Amino acid sequence: MVAAPEKRSPERTPFPEAIRKILDALSGSEENSTITSLSLSTGLNRRTVEKALEVILEAQRVLERKKLSIGKLNRIKMLRMEEKSGLLSLPDNLQKLIIRSAYFPTPSREEEIIVHLYLRGALSRGRAISLEKSELVKKLVKQGQLAEDQGKIYLTEEGVTVAKGALDLYPELKEVIKKPALTP
């Protein structure tokens, strides 16, 4: 008589790891997700995904108005929850409006170039594009936001971060790619 194969229950994922997996999946996706799609993409139980999302949303709600800081006193970690003040105490959309109106009403030429490369997909050596080597492009290469390979230009990790931030602050920059030629 052949013994039936042993049934193993799926291994449990520690809750902090489950939260990290969910945040990674959400961060890596440009599209909307469902609980089912998150469950499938992370390999987590659907109920675990629901619980983790509840914790994430509650933490986000609390941290919109407060700031958690951790300090050390001798060998003891001291935790403190403080009310945010100043610009950080305002909602994101209002912060952006103030930053734009008071400090940066229009994107810089550097941001336009970086966003142009981002929207064209120049995110690696293999996807580098030809771009006039103006003083501004040379400056961005020197600063480490752009890199050059065989005469073609692409964004570094820092450049991608700048491009995403610029698009967040200036969504109208998406129109940059529609211009036939960008001359820096």
Side-chain angles (χ1 to χ4, degrees), residues 107-173:
S108 68
R109 190 68 182 128
E110 289 92 340
E111 289 167 321
E112 288 178 357
I113 292 169
I114 290 170
V115 167
H116 173 76
L117 289 164
Y118 181 76
L119 294 174
R120 295 270 314 270
L123 308 177
S124 64
R125 288 177 200 251
R127 305 277 321 263
I129 62 173
S130 296
L131 195 64
E132 181 185 325
K133 308 296 183 309
S134 68
E135 289 304 313
L136 201 49
V137 170
K138 289 176 188 174
K139 174 184 166 189
L140 291 169
V141 169
K142 188 175 180 180
Q143 290 176 342
Q145 295 169 348
L146 304 182
E148 186 175 2
D149 185 43
Q150 298 178 359
K152 292 187 175 184
I153 303 292
Y154 63 97
L155 291 172
T156 63
E157 273 187 52
E158 183 181 332
V160 170
T161 302
V162 171
K164 288 178 178 179
L167 281 169
D168 188 39
L169 194 55
Y170 307 103
E172 67 273 12
L173 279 176

Side-chain angles (χ1 to χ4, degrees), residues 2 17 20 33 39-40 51 58 85 92 96-97 104 111 119 123-124 139 143-144 165 176 179 183:
V2 177
E17 185 181 329
R20 270 192 295 281
S33 299
S39 176
L40 292 172
K51 288 178 184 177
E58 179 62 18
S85 60
D92 280 350
K96 289 175 195 171
L97 179 64
F104 306 104
E111 289 167 321
L119 294 174
L123 308 177
S124 64
K139 174 184 166 189
Q143 290 176 342
V176 168
K179 293 180 182 176
T183 52

Side-chain angles (χ1 to χ4, degrees), residues 2-183:
V2 177
E6 186 180 317
K7 267 192 169 181
R8 298 179 73 192
S9 60
E11 196 172 307
R12 294 179 62 91
T13 304
F15 200 62
E17 185 181 329
I19 289 175
R20 270 192 295 281
K21 282 183 175 185
I22 291 166
L23 290 173
D24 287 345
L26 289 170
S27 297
S29 176
E30 297 284 326
E31 299 176 10
N32 291 332
S33 299
T34 63
I35 291 174
T36 301
S37 68
L38 280 173
S39 176
L40 292 172
S41 68
T42 60
L44 297 169
N45 180 288
R46 187 179 200 291
R47 185 69 186 126
T48 301
V49 171
E50 288 176 340
K51 288 178 184 177
L53 288 172
E54 288 173 14
V55 169
I56 292 167
L57 289 170
E58 179 62 18
Q60 182 175 306
R61 186 187 65 74
V62 169
L63 293 174
E64 280 180 2
R65 297 179 313 276
K66 298 183 183 248
K67 176 182 155 188
L68 176 65
S69 59
I70 302 175
K72 277 193 170 184
L73 180 62
N74 297 327
R75 287 177 285 171
I76 301 170
K77 286 187 178 178
M78 304 297 289
L79 307 172
R80 182 181 185 136
M81 187 71 87
E82 303 173 87
E83 292 289 327
K84 287 183 180 176
S85 60
L87 191 60
L88 291 177
S89 66
L90 302 172
D92 280 350
N93 60 345
L94 196 50
Q95 288 179 32
K96 289 175 195 171
L97 179 64
I98 291 169
I99 289 169
R100 280 190 69 158
S101 59
Y103 303 105
F104 306 104
T106 59
S108 68
R109 190 68 182 128
E110 289 92 340
E111 289 167 321
E112 288 178 357
I113 292 169
I114 290 170
V115 167
H116 173 76
L117 289 164
Y118 181 76
L119 294 174
R120 295 270 314 270
L123 308 177
S124 64
R125 288 177 200 251
R127 305 277 321 263
I129 62 173
S130 296
L131 195 64
E132 181 185 325
K133 308 296 183 309
S134 68
E135 289 304 313
L136 201 49
V137 170
K138 289 176 188 174
K139 174 184 166 189
L140 291 169
V141 169
K142 188 175 180 180
Q143 290 176 342
Q145 295 169 348
L146 304 182
E148 186 175 2
D149 185 43
Q150 298 178 359
K152 292 187 175 184
I153 303 292
Y154 63 97
L155 291 172
T156 63
E157 273 187 52
E158 183 181 332
V160 170
T161 302
V162 171
K164 288 178 178 179
L167 281 169
D168 188 39
L169 194 55
Y170 307 103
E172 67 273 12
L173 279 176
K174 290 180 182 160
E175 300 303 313
V176 168
I177 194 71
K178 294 182 182 176
K179 293 180 182 176
L182 186 70
T183 52

